[in-house]
Amino acid sequence: MPTLTLHTQKPRQWIDITDDVARAVRQSGVQDGLCLVFSPHTTASVVLNEHWDPQVVDDVLRWLEQQLPATWPHFRHLEGNSAAHLLCSWFGSAVTVPIAEGGLALGRWQGIFFAEWDGPRTRQYRVDCVGTPRP
Amino acid sequence: MPTLTLHTQKPRQWIDITDDVARAVRQSGVQDGLCLVFSPHTTASVVLNEHWDPQVVDDVLRWLEQQLPATWPHFRHLEGNSAAHLLCSWFGSAVTVPIAEGGLALGRWQGIFFAEWDGPRTRQYRVDCVGTPRP
Amino acid sequence: MPTLTLHTQKPRQWIDITDDVARAVRQSGVQDGLCLVFSPHTTASVVLNEHWDPQVVDDVLRWLEQQLPATWPHFRHLEGNSAAHLLCSWFGSAVTVPIAEGGLALGRWQGIFFAEWDGPRTRQYRVDCVGTPRP
């Protein structure tokens, strides 16, 4: 199963990885089944949302910045990135997407994002597919 | 894999879809494995919670209304439904439930809900099952 | 598929279950595939996060205590644990982790936690694995 690499540029940033995941699914040889897109990090997430209008992601990040800024006086973890750890569990480390007819069965407006909560960093994610093999 | 349709009546509403998902799982022919209940939308979720006392869902929606109302002056997405997009990623687009003995292996109080964040609308969701076939 | 039991000691508590899940995965006989760690309860979650520095989890719980304490005057559910139900859907009932070479493919700092939101209680969780069998 492939591991893909990406580079984030900002402290908090969602990067559209839909095309790279779709390619990995087509190369997996699975016709119908499930695709897990998994982040092995503890200060990043993988999420689904609209990837047509970039204002959607901007609004999500703007609200989160107000709701949970990077610093909070009661955090004690010495590395200083507890907010990023919190967002990791809040939004989850992975999404599972159906595979149909050999490809990702996403909705019309859905895209897959790698969500950086503590960047910039070099990050990785896995694409693991299970199901019936392509005939 | 079946796609099911439902109609929501309110701006924010959780609809119990447990029975329909259970039927789809029994019809899938999978004896032991995983069932993915997946929303292809970007302003709705699929979630698990208690489906016995409707006050539980009412309380969840009441708290979210106070925490994240539909409007916030700093949202810029022109469609005006950024809060719904946010809730989509917050609660996730899908749940995965174990399949055992040919049916859903839910806990005693657990139900599966389609969570509308931007209704009323006509919505769809998929039920994809993988695992060992029924003997 | 095995069901594991644990006992929680506090109202809100994350318990590291990584080693027990890893053992169940090795015993499943799956070489490459997906592992679902699933809570059948409606006031608990299963989550991924750093399990090296316990201050990370402490900080997460401290922020949640301030953000969503156990009581809120507008909750109506008579059992009085609506905050715990809310956290269950907020953080999810399950995580899915890749299986590679017969074991959990977690990141270096990642651990799996059972997240108690309404303890102390005796709790259970399932470990269901699908994929290709070990050669």
Side-chain angles (χ1 to χ4, degrees), chain C residues 59-70:
Chain C
D59 280 353
V60 169
L61 295 178
R62 191 175 299 116
W63 186 83
L64 288 173
E65 193 61 41
Q66 174 253 3
Q67 194 70 8
L68 175 55

Side-chain angles (χ1 to χ4, degrees), chain A residues 47-116:
Chain A
V47 296
L48 293 166
N49 217 313
E50 180 183 317
H51 67 152
W52 181 258
D53 180 358
Q55 292 278 25
V56 169
V57 172
D58 287 352
D59 280 354
V60 169
L61 294 178
R62 192 174 297 117
W63 186 83
L64 288 172
E65 192 60 42
Q66 175 254 0
Q67 194 70 11
L68 175 55
T71 56
W72 182 53
H74 303 290
F75 284 143
R76 296 181 194 165
H77 175 47
L78 288 179
E79 224 187 319
N81 60 353
S82 290
H85 285 292
L86 216 166
L87 289 163
C88 172
S89 290
W90 179 335
F91 288 90
S93 296
V95 297
T96 307
V97 178
I99 300 173
E101 300 175 14
L104 283 173
L106 288 169
R108 183 175 178 185
W109 308 105
Q110 268 180 329
I112 307 172
F113 292 92
F114 186 92
E116 172 65 78

Side-chain angles (χ1 to χ4, degrees), chain B residues 5-26:
Chain B
T5 299
L6 82 169
H7 305 279
T8 62
Q9 291 84 34
K10 302 178 188 173
R12 294 183 182 181
Q13 181 183 17
W14 288 19
I15 294 181
D16 190 340
I17 57 173
T18 313
D19 291 348
D20 291 326
V21 175
R23 191 176 307 113
V25 168
R26 287 193 303 270

